[in-house]
Amino acid sequence: MYFTPERNERLARKLFRHIAETSTDRVDEIFEYDLSIYSCADTAKRECTQIFEKAPMMAAHANQIATPGSFITVQLNRSNVIVTRKADGTVGAYLNVCRHRGSRLVGAAAGQRNRFTCPYHGWTYTNDGKLRGIGFADSFGMKPNDEKNLVALPVEERHGFIWIVENPNGSIDVKAHLGEGMDQALGEYGLDKWFFYKAHVFDFPQNWKVMMDGLIDGYHVQFLHGATISPYFYPNMMGIEVFGHNALWGNPRRKMQELADHPPERAPPLDRYAIIGNLFVPNAVMVMHPHHIEFWTVYQNPDNTGACRVHLRYLTPKGEHDARGIEILDKNWKIATDAIINEDVPVGNGIQASAAMPHAGKVCLGRNEVTNQLFHRAYRAYMDAA
């Protein structure tokens, strides 16, 4: 059960009411914005500094570096980063760049090392970022010194996730970034005790915001996923809790009708009767199922405004799985990725093509598109910030 009894009851009341009334949560007004935000190169350039190098990125799950000396390399928006568990158990994040000639320091995706040695000229760094060795230091003319340590990025471990700010001169406060309500909800989930299962990085020919729009949209399911996902869910129906720019929500499955006679305060855990979604602005989404979580992060392709990089990780409550458990997880992985690749992505590619047209006009988000409005209002706030 992800929710406390109190949150489970609140969301159950909403969803029971929506099922009885064939309704959904709504906001007060329509929201519009220019379609060109998906194709404008100047807009994309500003996003780098206003969003991706200012806000904490939900970069990894803590279990990916579970023990001292473990590390992963993570591609953020424009920077490749070494994320490592130091000897004292804290987390360090460093640009994956040797301070000698700029070579990629670590090529592996993950591993166990207390030192990182550059393959080019043998410069060696400890996993707290300190330069400790220079190949042929006497003839090179310099000894290891702190000025040539790895470039450290602001990093924080909170609620089972590793958060990183891509700008080394930035600051990080994840609780303030999430806001009190979303920070409390994420803490209640207990995901610091969960495990990393598998991951994949996708490259899609559409702007990152188009991809985010699809991941948080509950309005399109009946139409776009009519033959695959739609038969199992009530259409155009979401019960939402909004926390500033962030939110969690439930999309009720049709099997929730089985609970029609249950008072909300006695409703069983809703994760078996609804898909639980979470928006963590600016670029992360979690979709919570009974036995696994889809953890999505979406970045720009800095070289192409009309493309994005999407990182999907699966998290599970157990670290080991029998053959049946693996079969179920892999089946759900295929369902999720097939729906995205075969149904969502082609529509998103069409939106991207429209955004490149000079007179395509504005996007119009309806009152029922609460999470999409929330995302785009947050996006506008980031872009308008000083």
Side-chain angles (χ1 to χ4, degrees):
M1 179 176 179
Y2 296 109
F3 296 149
T4 62
E6 294 78 14
R7 195 181 302 279
N8 200 75
E9 178 184 342
R10 284 200 305 273
L11 194 57
R13 287 187 186 279
K14 277 196 172 194
L15 295 180
F16 287 163
R17 187 182 76 248
H18 287 326
I19 291 170
E21 298 175 359
T22 316
S23 60
T24 189
D25 280 10
R26 303 177 192 180
V27 291
D28 293 335
E29 58 188 13
I30 300 290
F31 181 77
E32 294 188 339
Y33 58 90
D34 290 334
L35 189 60
S36 63
I37 69 166
Y38 299 133
S39 60
C40 175
D42 289 339
T43 297
K45 186 176 181 180
R46 288 192 66 241
E47 290 171 355
C48 290
T49 54
Q50 289 294 101
I51 297 176
F52 290 102
E53 292 170 23
K54 184 177 289 186
M57 299 288 108
M58 204 172 180
H61 188 262
N63 179 249
Q64 294 179 257
I65 50 167
T67 58
S70 58
F71 76 91
I72 55 174
T73 53
V74 175
Q75 181 65 38
L76 299 181
N77 199 53
R78 294 196 291 180
S79 303
N80 194 270
V81 178
I82 302 167
V83 186
T84 183
R85 181 80 62 184
K86 295 183 283 187
D88 63 0
T90 61
V91 175
Y94 311 96
L95 294 183
N96 191 6
V97 178
C98 180
R99 298 299 306 281
H100 171 213
R101 299 262 290 272
S103 176
R104 178 65 57 89
L105 182 61
V106 179
Q112 188 82 21
R113 299 182 198 172
N114 292 318
R115 290 177 177 255
F116 303 106
T117 299
C118 179
Y120 199 6
H121 296 96
W123 285 37
T124 299
Y125 306 82
T126 55
N127 74 344
D128 60 358
K130 302 287 188 181
L131 176 62
R132 286 292 181 258
I134 294 176
F136 301 105
D138 289 342
S139 61
F140 186 83
M142 184 179 77
K143 293 182 179 180
N145 61 83
D146 287 347
E147 289 186 4
K148 293 300 180 182
N149 291 342
L150 297 178
V151 176
L153 298 179
V155 60
E156 182 178 343
E157 181 175 1
R158 189 169 181 83
H159 299 321
F161 293 89
I162 308 298
W163 310 73
I164 302 172
V165 172
E166 192 172 349
N167 184 347
N169 297 314
S171 60
I172 191 165
D173 184 340
V174 174
K175 182 177 181 180
H177 168 69
L178 291 173
E180 183 177 355
M182 197 73 228
D183 183 71
Q184 179 180 338
L186 185 56
E188 289 171 1
Y189 296 159
L191 301 183
D192 56 325
K193 299 177 178 65
W194 279 49
F195 297 84
F196 169 77
Y197 177 66
K198 67 184 293 186
H200 188 77
V201 178
F202 302 88
D203 291 290
F204 294 131
Q206 57 190 254
N207 185 268
W208 72 277
K209 299 181 293 297
V210 175
M211 190 69 203
M212 283 293 294
D213 284 332
L215 288 173
I216 61 177
D217 176 14
Y219 180 33
H220 74 282
V221 174
Q222 178 180 1
F223 308 101
L224 187 57
H225 304 299
T228 53
I229 299 173
S230 178
Y232 304 101
F233 293 90
Y234 287 98
N236 188 35
M237 191 174 292
M238 296 173 73
I240 306 166
E241 291 192 351
V242 175
F243 310 104
H245 291 319
N246 302 297
L248 67 84
W249 63 89
N251 295 99
R253 300 176 185 269
R254 291 192 181 273
K255 68 181 291 186
M256 197 166 180
Q257 186 61 38
E258 299 171 8
L259 306 181
D261 296 331
H262 283 67
E265 64 272 15
R266 289 169 51 195
L270 289 181
D271 53 273
R272 296 184 177 276
Y273 296 91
I275 294 294
I276 307 300
N278 298 260
L279 169 63
F280 304 97
V281 294
N283 69 326
V285 176
M286 281 199 321
V287 183
M288 307 169 80
H289 303 268
H291 302 297
H292 70 278
I293 290 175
E294 302 168 20
F295 167 37
W296 301 83
T297 51
V298 186
Y299 293 95
Q300 294 178 316
N301 178 330
D303 299 321
N304 182 355
T305 305
C308 68
R309 189 179 64 258
V310 181
H311 201 153
L312 171 61
R313 302 170 181 89
Y314 257 32
L315 310 178
T316 61
K318 299 190 299 182
E320 297 182 0
H321 306 274
D322 59 19
R324 177 58 178 159
I326 292 171
E327 180 184 354
I328 292 171
L329 286 166
D330 290 349
K331 177 183 176 181
N332 280 281
W333 176 278
K334 187 175 188 307
I335 290 171
T337 56
D338 282 357
I340 291 290
I341 293 170
N342 299 327
E343 297 172 352
D344 289 274
V345 168
V347 170
N349 294 348
I351 294 170
Q352 191 62 45
S354 299
M357 299 179 187
H359 307 294
K362 293 181 178 291
V363 171
C364 174
L365 294 178
R367 293 176 57 207
N368 61 330
E369 297 180 276
V370 178
T371 47
N372 294 84
Q373 284 210 28
L374 189 67
F375 169 70
H376 281 280
R377 291 179 188 276
Y379 171 82
R380 183 171 290 180
Y382 274 113
M383 295 297 280
D384 290 345

